[in-house]
Structures are given as C-alpha cells and as structure tokens.
PDB file of all heavy atoms in Angstrom:
ATOM      1  N   ARG A 219       5.940  -9.122  16.073  1.00 96.00           N
ATOM      2  CA  ARG A 219       5.290 -10.020  15.114  1.00 96.00           C
ATOM      3  C   ARG A 219       4.067  -9.353  14.476  1.00 96.00           C
ATOM      4  O   ARG A 219       3.850  -9.470  13.262  1.00 96.00           O
ATOM      5  CB  ARG A 219       4.873 -11.315  15.820  1.00 96.00           C
ATOM      6  CG  ARG A 219       4.199 -12.323  14.892  1.00 96.00           C
ATOM      7  CD  ARG A 219       3.670 -13.509  15.673  1.00 96.00           C
ATOM      8  NE  ARG A 219       2.972 -14.452  14.807  1.00 96.00           N
ATOM      9  CZ  ARG A 219       2.058 -15.318  15.215  1.00 96.00           C
ATOM     10  NH1 ARG A 219       1.748 -15.386  16.510  1.00 96.00           N
ATOM     11  NH2 ARG A 219       1.470 -16.138  14.363  1.00 96.00           N
ATOM     12  N   LEU A 220       3.277  -8.639  15.281  1.00 97.00           N
ATOM     13  CA  LEU A 220       2.107  -7.961  14.721  1.00 97.00           C
ATOM     14  C   LEU A 220       2.516  -6.866  13.750  1.00 97.00           C
ATOM     15  O   LEU A 220       1.843  -6.647  12.731  1.00 97.00           O
ATOM     16  CB  LEU A 220       1.245  -7.397  15.854  1.00 97.00           C
ATOM     17  CG  LEU A 220       0.077  -8.279  16.325  1.00 97.00           C
ATOM     18  CD1 LEU A 220      -0.949  -8.454  15.215  1.00 97.00           C
ATOM     19  CD2 LEU A 220       0.543  -9.637  16.806  1.00 97.00           C
ATOM     20  N   TRP A 221       3.632  -6.197  14.032  1.00 96.00           N
ATOM     21  CA  TRP A 221       4.142  -5.221  13.066  1.00 96.00           C
ATOM     22  C   TRP A 221       4.506  -5.923  11.763  1.00 96.00           C
ATOM     23  O   TRP A 221       4.134  -5.466  10.678  1.00 96.00           O
ATOM     24  CB  TRP A 221       5.357  -4.497  13.642  1.00 96.00           C
ATOM     25  CG  TRP A 221       6.130  -3.686  12.649  1.00 96.00           C
ATOM     26  CD1 TRP A 221       5.612  -2.815  11.726  1.00 96.00           C
ATOM     27  CD2 TRP A 221       7.538  -3.695  12.439  1.00 96.00           C
ATOM     28  NE1 TRP A 221       6.633  -2.265  10.976  1.00 96.00           N
ATOM     29  CE2 TRP A 221       7.825  -2.782  11.393  1.00 96.00           C
ATOM     30  CE3 TRP A 221       8.607  -4.357  13.069  1.00 96.00           C
ATOM     31  CZ2 TRP A 221       9.129  -2.543  10.946  1.00 96.00           C
ATOM     32  CZ3 TRP A 221       9.892  -4.107  12.618  1.00 96.00           C
ATOM     33  CH2 TRP A 221      10.140  -3.213  11.572  1.00 96.00           C
ATOM     34  N   HIS A 222       5.220  -7.030  11.840  1.00 95.00           N
ATOM     35  CA  HIS A 222       5.619  -7.765  10.641  1.00 95.00           C
ATOM     36  C   HIS A 222       4.406  -8.215   9.830  1.00 95.00           C
ATOM     37  O   HIS A 222       4.445  -8.228   8.597  1.00 95.00           O
ATOM     38  CB  HIS A 222       6.462  -8.976  11.024  1.00 95.00           C
ATOM     39  CG  HIS A 222       7.835  -8.622  11.511  1.00 95.00           C
ATOM     40  ND1 HIS A 222       8.771  -9.574  11.849  1.00 95.00           N
ATOM     41  CD2 HIS A 222       8.440  -7.425  11.714  1.00 95.00           C
ATOM     42  CE1 HIS A 222       9.889  -8.977  12.243  1.00 95.00           C
ATOM     43  NE2 HIS A 222       9.702  -7.683  12.158  1.00 95.00           N
ATOM     44  N   LEU A 223       3.326  -8.593  10.501  1.00 97.00           N
ATOM     45  CA  LEU A 223       2.132  -9.068   9.812  1.00 97.00           C
ATOM     46  C   LEU A 223       1.318  -7.923   9.213  1.00 97.00           C
ATOM     47  O   LEU A 223       0.758  -8.057   8.110  1.00 97.00           O
ATOM     48  CB  LEU A 223       1.254  -9.864  10.785  1.00 97.00           C
ATOM     49  CG  LEU A 223       1.764 -11.248  11.190  1.00 97.00           C
ATOM     50  CD1 LEU A 223       0.970 -11.790  12.374  1.00 97.00           C
ATOM     51  CD2 LEU A 223       1.686 -12.221  10.011  1.00 97.00           C
ATOM     52  N   LEU A 224       1.234  -6.804   9.926  1.00 97.00           N
ATOM     53  CA  LEU A 224       0.383  -5.707   9.480  1.00 97.00           C
ATOM     54  C   LEU A 224       1.065  -4.782   8.473  1.00 97.00           C
ATOM     55  O   LEU A 224       0.397  -4.178   7.641  1.00 97.00           O
ATOM     56  CB  LEU A 224      -0.089  -4.891  10.688  1.00 97.00           C
ATOM     57  CG  LEU A 224      -1.157  -5.549  11.554  1.00 97.00           C
ATOM     58  CD1 LEU A 224      -1.341  -4.778  12.854  1.00 97.00           C
ATOM     59  CD2 LEU A 224      -2.481  -5.646  10.805  1.00 97.00           C
ATOM     60  N   GLU A 225       2.386  -4.672   8.562  1.00 97.00           N
ATOM     61  CA  GLU A 225       3.095  -3.741   7.677  1.00 97.00           C
ATOM     62  C   GLU A 225       2.804  -4.003   6.198  1.00 97.00           C
ATOM     63  O   GLU A 225       2.481  -3.061   5.454  1.00 97.00           O
ATOM     64  CB  GLU A 225       4.600  -3.790   7.956  1.00 97.00           C
ATOM     65  CG  GLU A 225       5.424  -2.893   7.052  1.00 97.00           C
ATOM     66  CD  GLU A 225       5.196  -1.419   7.284  1.00 97.00           C
ATOM     67  OE1 GLU A 225       4.866  -1.035   8.419  1.00 97.00           O
ATOM     68  OE2 GLU A 225       5.341  -0.636   6.326  1.00 97.00           O
ATOM     69  N   PRO A 226       2.896  -5.245   5.690  1.00 96.00           N
ATOM     70  CA  PRO A 226       2.588  -5.451   4.264  1.00 96.00           C
ATOM     71  C   PRO A 226       1.136  -5.120   3.919  1.00 96.00           C
ATOM     72  O   PRO A 226       0.866  -4.649   2.808  1.00 96.00           O
ATOM     73  CB  PRO A 226       2.879  -6.950   4.055  1.00 96.00           C
ATOM     74  CG  PRO A 226       3.833  -7.302   5.147  1.00 96.00           C
ATOM     75  CD  PRO A 226       3.403  -6.482   6.322  1.00 96.00           C
ATOM     76  N   LEU A 227       0.218  -5.377   4.853  1.00 98.00           N
ATOM     77  CA  LEU A 227      -1.189  -5.084   4.587  1.00 98.00           C
ATOM     78  C   LEU A 227      -1.419  -3.589   4.441  1.00 98.00           C
ATOM     79  O   LEU A 227      -2.294  -3.160   3.682  1.00 98.00           O
ATOM     80  CB  LEU A 227      -2.068  -5.636   5.714  1.00 98.00           C
ATOM     81  CG  LEU A 227      -2.059  -7.156   5.877  1.00 98.00           C
ATOM     82  CD1 LEU A 227      -2.948  -7.575   7.026  1.00 98.00           C
ATOM     83  CD2 LEU A 227      -2.514  -7.837   4.591  1.00 98.00           C
ATOM     84  N   HIS A 228      -0.638  -2.793   5.153  1.00 98.00           N
ATOM     85  CA  HIS A 228      -0.693  -1.339   4.969  1.00 98.00           C
ATOM     86  C   HIS A 228       0.067  -0.916   3.722  1.00 98.00           C
ATOM     87  O   HIS A 228      -0.440  -0.183   2.875  1.00 98.00           O
ATOM     88  CB  HIS A 228      -0.099  -0.632   6.189  1.00 98.00           C
ATOM     89  CG  HIS A 228       0.404   0.744   5.872  1.00 98.00           C
ATOM     90  ND1 HIS A 228      -0.444   1.816   5.672  1.00 98.00           N
ATOM     91  CD2 HIS A 228       1.675   1.219   5.680  1.00 98.00           C
ATOM     92  CE1 HIS A 228       0.275   2.892   5.384  1.00 98.00           C
ATOM     93  NE2 HIS A 228       1.554   2.556   5.381  1.00 98.00           N
ATOM     94  N   ALA A 229       1.323  -1.355   3.605  1.00 97.00           N
ATOM     95  CA  ALA A 229       2.252  -0.804   2.610  1.00 97.00           C
ATOM     96  C   ALA A 229       1.875  -1.122   1.180  1.00 97.00           C
ATOM     97  O   ALA A 229       2.328  -0.432   0.254  1.00 97.00           O
ATOM     98  CB  ALA A 229       3.668  -1.315   2.895  1.00 97.00           C
ATOM     99  N   VAL A 230       1.044  -2.125   0.952  1.00 98.00           N
ATOM    100  CA  VAL A 230       0.678  -2.470  -0.427  1.00 98.00           C
ATOM    101  C   VAL A 230      -0.027  -1.298  -1.104  1.00 98.00           C
ATOM    102  O   VAL A 230      -0.045  -1.208  -2.341  1.00 98.00           O
ATOM    103  CB  VAL A 230      -0.188  -3.754  -0.442  1.00 98.00           C
ATOM    104  CG1 VAL A 230      -1.600  -3.493   0.082  1.00 98.00           C
ATOM    105  CG2 VAL A 230      -0.237  -4.362  -1.842  1.00 98.00           C
ATOM    106  N   VAL A 231      -0.574  -0.357  -0.331  1.00 98.00           N
ATOM    107  CA  VAL A 231      -1.227   0.817  -0.916  1.00 98.00           C
ATOM    108  C   VAL A 231      -0.264   1.634  -1.765  1.00 98.00           C
ATOM    109  O   VAL A 231      -0.674   2.319  -2.695  1.00 98.00           O
ATOM    110  CB  VAL A 231      -1.856   1.696   0.198  1.00 98.00           C
ATOM    111  CG1 VAL A 231      -0.785   2.427   1.002  1.00 98.00           C
ATOM    112  CG2 VAL A 231      -2.865   2.685  -0.380  1.00 98.00           C
ATOM    113  N   TYR A 232       1.031   1.549  -1.482  1.00 97.00           N
ATOM    114  CA  TYR A 232       2.020   2.334  -2.221  1.00 97.00           C
ATOM    115  C   TYR A 232       2.577   1.597  -3.439  1.00 97.00           C
ATOM    116  O   TYR A 232       3.432   2.140  -4.151  1.00 97.00           O
ATOM    117  CB  TYR A 232       3.171   2.726  -1.292  1.00 97.00           C
ATOM    118  CG  TYR A 232       2.704   3.449  -0.059  1.00 97.00           C
ATOM    119  CD1 TYR A 232       2.990   2.944   1.211  1.00 97.00           C
ATOM    120  CD2 TYR A 232       1.945   4.610  -0.140  1.00 97.00           C
ATOM    121  CE1 TYR A 232       2.542   3.596   2.354  1.00 97.00           C
ATOM    122  CE2 TYR A 232       1.485   5.256   0.991  1.00 97.00           C
ATOM    123  CZ  TYR A 232       1.786   4.748   2.244  1.00 97.00           C
ATOM    124  OH  TYR A 232       1.336   5.383   3.373  1.00 97.00           O
ATOM    125  N   TYR A 233       2.087   0.377  -3.683  1.00 97.00           N
ATOM    126  CA  TYR A 233       2.610  -0.436  -4.786  1.00 97.00           C
ATOM    127  C   TYR A 233       1.521  -1.024  -5.683  1.00 97.00           C
ATOM    128  O   TYR A 233       1.817  -1.445  -6.802  1.00 97.00           O
ATOM    129  CB  TYR A 233       3.448  -1.598  -4.236  1.00 97.00           C
ATOM    130  CG  TYR A 233       4.667  -1.167  -3.470  1.00 97.00           C
ATOM    131  CD1 TYR A 233       4.632  -1.020  -2.091  1.00 97.00           C
ATOM    132  CD2 TYR A 233       5.874  -0.897  -4.123  1.00 97.00           C
ATOM    133  CE1 TYR A 233       5.754  -0.614  -1.370  1.00 97.00           C
ATOM    134  CE2 TYR A 233       7.000  -0.495  -3.419  1.00 97.00           C
ATOM    135  CZ  TYR A 233       6.932  -0.360  -2.042  1.00 97.00           C
ATOM    136  OH  TYR A 233       8.045   0.042  -1.336  1.00 97.00           O
ATOM    137  N   ALA A 234       0.308  -1.102  -5.207  1.00 98.00           N
ATOM    138  CA  ALA A 234      -0.751  -1.785  -5.950  1.00 98.00           C
ATOM    139  C   ALA A 234      -1.123  -1.009  -7.215  1.00 98.00           C
ATOM    140  O   ALA A 234      -1.317   0.216  -7.168  1.00 98.00           O
ATOM    141  CB  ALA A 234      -1.988  -1.960  -5.066  1.00 98.00           C
ATOM    142  N   PRO A 235      -1.242  -1.690  -8.348  1.00 98.00           N
ATOM    143  CA  PRO A 235      -1.604  -0.990  -9.586  1.00 98.00           C
ATOM    144  C   PRO A 235      -2.958  -0.296  -9.487  1.00 98.00           C
ATOM    145  O   PRO A 235      -3.171   0.748 -10.106  1.00 98.00           O
ATOM    146  CB  PRO A 235      -1.607  -2.098 -10.639  1.00 98.00           C
ATOM    147  CG  PRO A 235      -1.704  -3.384  -9.874  1.00 98.00           C
ATOM    148  CD  PRO A 235      -1.028  -3.137  -8.571  1.00 98.00           C
ATOM    149  N   GLU A 236      -3.860  -0.861  -8.703  1.00 98.00           N
ATOM    150  CA  GLU A 236      -5.189  -0.249  -8.557  1.00 98.00           C
ATOM    151  C   GLU A 236      -5.092   1.124  -7.898  1.00 98.00           C
ATOM    152  O   GLU A 236      -5.829   2.054  -8.256  1.00 98.00           O
ATOM    153  CB  GLU A 236      -6.102  -1.163  -7.737  1.00 98.00           C
ATOM    154  CG  GLU A 236      -6.409  -2.499  -8.390  1.00 98.00           C
ATOM    155  CD  GLU A 236      -5.345  -3.571  -8.144  1.00 98.00           C
ATOM    156  OE1 GLU A 236      -4.320  -3.262  -7.482  1.00 98.00           O
ATOM    157  OE2 GLU A 236      -5.543  -4.713  -8.593  1.00 98.00           O
ATOM    158  N   VAL A 237      -4.177   1.261  -6.935  1.00 98.00           N
ATOM    159  CA  VAL A 237      -3.988   2.556  -6.278  1.00 98.00           C
ATOM    160  C   VAL A 237      -3.302   3.531  -7.226  1.00 98.00           C
ATOM    161  O   VAL A 237      -3.654   4.717  -7.287  1.00 98.00           O
ATOM    162  CB  VAL A 237      -3.194   2.397  -4.967  1.00 98.00           C
ATOM    163  CG1 VAL A 237      -3.032   3.744  -4.271  1.00 98.00           C
ATOM    164  CG2 VAL A 237      -3.879   1.409  -4.034  1.00 98.00           C
ATOM    165  N   PHE A 238      -2.317   3.031  -7.977  1.00 98.00           N
ATOM    166  CA  PHE A 238      -1.672   3.892  -8.974  1.00 98.00           C
ATOM    167  C   PHE A 238      -2.699   4.424  -9.985  1.00 98.00           C
ATOM    168  O   PHE A 238      -2.644   5.594 -10.390  1.00 98.00           O
ATOM    169  CB  PHE A 238      -0.582   3.120  -9.718  1.00 98.00           C
ATOM    170  CG  PHE A 238       0.696   2.959  -8.950  1.00 98.00           C
ATOM    171  CD1 PHE A 238       1.367   1.744  -8.940  1.00 98.00           C
ATOM    172  CD2 PHE A 238       1.254   4.019  -8.244  1.00 98.00           C
ATOM    173  CE1 PHE A 238       2.558   1.588  -8.242  1.00 98.00           C
ATOM    174  CE2 PHE A 238       2.447   3.875  -7.547  1.00 98.00           C
ATOM    175  CZ  PHE A 238       3.098   2.653  -7.546  1.00 98.00           C
ATOM    176  N   GLU A 239      -3.640   3.585 -10.373  1.00 98.00           N
ATOM    177  CA  GLU A 239      -4.659   4.025 -11.329  1.00 98.00           C
ATOM    178  C   GLU A 239      -5.515   5.139 -10.737  1.00 98.00           C
ATOM    179  O   GLU A 239      -5.857   6.115 -11.429  1.00 98.00           O
ATOM    180  CB  GLU A 239      -5.530   2.841 -11.745  1.00 98.00           C
ATOM    181  CG  GLU A 239      -4.815   1.838 -12.641  1.00 98.00           C
ATOM    182  CD  GLU A 239      -5.612   0.568 -12.851  1.00 98.00           C
ATOM    183  OE1 GLU A 239      -6.770   0.505 -12.379  1.00 98.00           O
ATOM    184  OE2 GLU A 239      -5.077  -0.367 -13.471  1.00 98.00           O
ATOM    185  N   GLU A 240      -5.868   5.002  -9.464  1.00 98.00           N
ATOM    186  CA  GLU A 240      -6.663   6.047  -8.811  1.00 98.00           C
ATOM    187  C   GLU A 240      -5.857   7.343  -8.692  1.00 98.00           C
ATOM    188  O   GLU A 240      -6.390   8.439  -8.885  1.00 98.00           O
ATOM    189  CB  GLU A 240      -7.122   5.577  -7.429  1.00 98.00           C
ATOM    190  CG  GLU A 240      -8.073   4.389  -7.445  1.00 98.00           C
ATOM    191  CD  GLU A 240      -9.452   4.734  -7.996  1.00 98.00           C
ATOM    192  OE1 GLU A 240      -9.786   5.933  -8.089  1.00 98.00           O
ATOM    193  OE2 GLU A 240     -10.206   3.789  -8.320  1.00 98.00           O
ATOM    194  N   ALA A 241      -4.571   7.213  -8.368  1.00 98.00           N
ATOM    195  CA  ALA A 241      -3.723   8.401  -8.259  1.00 98.00           C
ATOM    196  C   ALA A 241      -3.539   9.061  -9.625  1.00 98.00           C
ATOM    197  O   ALA A 241      -3.564  10.295  -9.741  1.00 98.00           O
ATOM    198  CB  ALA A 241      -2.369   8.025  -7.662  1.00 98.00           C
ATOM    199  N   ALA A 242      -3.359   8.250 -10.658  1.00 98.00           N
ATOM    200  CA  ALA A 242      -3.202   8.790 -12.011  1.00 98.00           C
ATOM    201  C   ALA A 242      -4.460   9.520 -12.460  1.00 98.00           C
ATOM    202  O   ALA A 242      -4.389  10.549 -13.151  1.00 98.00           O
ATOM    203  CB  ALA A 242      -2.854   7.670 -12.985  1.00 98.00           C
ATOM    204  N   ALA A 243      -5.620   8.994 -12.061  1.00 98.00           N
ATOM    205  CA  ALA A 243      -6.880   9.641 -12.426  1.00 98.00           C
ATOM    206  C   ALA A 243      -6.990  11.030 -11.805  1.00 98.00           C
ATOM    207  O   ALA A 243      -7.667  11.910 -12.361  1.00 98.00           O
ATOM    208  CB  ALA A 243      -8.059   8.776 -12.001  1.00 98.00           C
ATOM    209  N   LEU A 244      -6.328  11.238 -10.666  1.00 98.00           N
ATOM    210  CA  LEU A 244      -6.305  12.564 -10.057  1.00 98.00           C
ATOM    211  C   LEU A 244      -5.310  13.492 -10.735  1.00 98.00           C
ATOM    212  O   LEU A 244      -5.377  14.710 -10.565  1.00 98.00           O
ATOM    213  CB  LEU A 244      -5.933  12.457  -8.571  1.00 98.00           C
ATOM    214  CG  LEU A 244      -6.932  11.773  -7.632  1.00 98.00           C
ATOM    215  CD1 LEU A 244      -6.379  11.747  -6.217  1.00 98.00           C
ATOM    216  CD2 LEU A 244      -8.291  12.473  -7.656  1.00 98.00           C
ATOM    217  N   GLY A 245      -4.367  12.917 -11.486  1.00 98.00           N
ATOM    218  CA  GLY A 245      -3.385  13.719 -12.187  1.00 98.00           C
ATOM    219  C   GLY A 245      -1.956  13.538 -11.748  1.00 98.00           C
ATOM    220  O   GLY A 245      -1.056  14.242 -12.227  1.00 98.00           O
ATOM    221  N   TYR A 246      -1.688  12.561 -10.835  1.00 98.00           N
ATOM    222  CA  TYR A 246      -0.316  12.343 -10.369  1.00 98.00           C
ATOM    223  C   TYR A 246       0.455  11.467 -11.359  1.00 98.00           C
ATOM    224  O   TYR A 246      -0.105  10.573 -11.996  1.00 98.00           O
ATOM    225  CB  TYR A 246      -0.320  11.678  -8.985  1.00 98.00           C
ATOM    226  CG  TYR A 246      -0.827  12.593  -7.902  1.00 98.00           C
ATOM    227  CD1 TYR A 246      -2.124  12.468  -7.422  1.00 98.00           C
ATOM    228  CD2 TYR A 246      -0.025  13.604  -7.393  1.00 98.00           C
ATOM    229  CE1 TYR A 246      -2.612  13.327  -6.452  1.00 98.00           C
ATOM    230  CE2 TYR A 246      -0.499  14.464  -6.410  1.00 98.00           C
ATOM    231  CZ  TYR A 246      -1.805  14.324  -5.950  1.00 98.00           C
ATOM    232  OH  TYR A 246      -2.278  15.184  -4.988  1.00 98.00           O
TER     233      TYR A 246
END
C-alpha cells in the first residue's frame, strides 16, 4: 500500500510540465 501511495508522488517528476521546462532549459 505504501508503494502504491508513494509511487505517483515520485513518478510525477517524469511527467510534470514544470520539470520538462527545467529539462528543456538545460537543452534536453
């Protein structure tokens, strides 16, 4: 259950537009 609850809180880093913007600013 803790895995199910924590996984989305971690994984959103790979989908959030704010993170994409930071990655794009680096040149990715």
Side-chain angles (χ1 to χ4, degrees):
R219 181 186 177 203
L220 265 295
W221 168 47
H222 288 183
L223 288 168
L224 286 169
E225 178 68 29
L227 296 179
H228 156 75
V230 73
V231 72
Y232 305 122
Y233 297 94
E236 296 85 358
V237 181
F238 282 137
E239 289 170 5
E240 296 290 344
L244 293 179
Y246 291 101

